[in-house]
Amino acid sequence: MPATASTDRPRPRRRLTYANVVSTLALVVAVAGGGGAAVAAGLAKNSVSSPQIRNGQVKTVDLAAGAVTSKKVKNRSLAAKDIKLRSLGRGRVAASPAGPIVGLANPYTSVATVELTAPADGYVVLHGVTSVSAGDTDTFMNGRFTVDGAIAGRTHYLDGGDVDGLFDQSQAQLEVIPVTKGRHTYGWQLREAEVSTYASVYGSQLVVQFFPEGSIG
């Protein structure tokens, strides 16, 4: 019986070529490197923590709007360079022009008025200063601040100074009061306790400075 020819043929050997290596490496890079989404898709929820993040790799663009809040900032860790000018409202100031000569009487007289918008709830520092000409040696005055026409703070007692016909006695009044967000009108009122002495003031000026809550003290 004649021998039958074998149907098995030798398989061609696959040769490892430069082209094969490069194409394989390109596929790995595309999946693991350039195709980050493919790798990320295989991660379990909340599986990436601090040890898996290289230091300095989280950028501003990676943070959602409003993600960093006050509770996440260490107290007293921010420096002046970290805060945008006026972003907190600190340093917001308004001042009235220096006023003319005003004669005082027993009813309170408005000597200075200024408006300032508070960007948030907080405090305002009210500082009034004026030059006084006393009517006699017994002259003394009262001063008070107002916010939107309502009396704010306490009544101050001011010394009228000497009697020489000159405006040479400088007097000041300072007070810190809480304020709500919004635009407010601030006033400074003075009165003379003894009407017959006819004291007068000159160059009265009111300066108002806003501070946000937590920035004083």
Side-chain angles (χ1 to χ4, degrees):
M1 184 173 183
T4 59
S6 175
T7 58
D8 294 333
R9 296 181 180 179
R11 296 181 179 179
R13 292 184 179 180
R14 294 185 178 179
R15 299 179 61 186
L16 185 63
T17 65
Y18 176 79
N20 293 338
V21 173
V22 171
S23 61
T24 303
L25 287 176
L27 178 61
V28 172
V29 171
V31 173
V39 176
L43 296 177
K45 184 178 180 180
N46 298 325
S47 63
V48 177
S49 58
S50 180
Q52 280 82 43
I53 301 176
R54 181 180 296 178
N55 292 342
Q57 293 307 299
V58 177
K59 309 300 182 182
T60 302
V61 69
D62 301 318
L63 300 176
V68 179
T69 61
S70 176
K71 293 182 179 180
K72 294 181 175 64
V73 179
K74 183 179 179 180
N75 290 343
R76 306 182 191 280
S77 63
L78 295 180
K81 65 180 180 179
D82 302 318
I83 302 174
K84 186 178 180 181
L85 182 63
R86 294 188 177 183
S87 63
L88 298 179
R90 180 186 292 273
R92 218 172 265 188
V93 180
S96 68
I101 297 175
V102 177
L104 300 182
N106 188 266
Y108 278 98
T109 301
S110 177
V111 296
T113 304
V114 66
E115 291 186 348
L116 178 67
T117 299
D121 292 349
Y123 298 89
V124 286
V125 177
L126 304 177
H127 186 197
V129 62
T130 190
S131 294
V132 181
S133 176
D136 63 29
T137 56
D138 294 328
T139 296
F140 71 92
M141 305 180 303
N142 297 132
R144 68 186 185 188
F145 293 119
T146 62
V147 179
D148 299 329
I151 300 172
R154 59 189 178 87
T155 299
H156 291 244
Y157 295 90
L158 308 177
D159 184 4
D162 55 10
V163 182
D164 58 5
L166 301 176
F167 291 94
D168 54 3
Q169 179 70 19
S170 179
Q171 287 290 339
Q173 180 177 337
L174 181 69
E175 188 131 15
V176 179
I177 61 174
V179 67
T180 57
K181 179 180 179 180
R183 191 167 188 83
H184 300 281
T185 301
Y186 303 91
W188 188 29
Q189 299 177 345
L190 297 174
R191 76 171 181 177
E192 181 193 358
E194 297 292 337
V195 180
S196 60
T197 58
Y198 301 106
S200 56
V201 293
Y202 173 68
S204 303
Q205 189 173 30
L206 175 60
V207 179
V208 183
Q209 184 173 14
F210 169 81
F211 289 87
E213 287 185 341
S215 62
I216 295 181

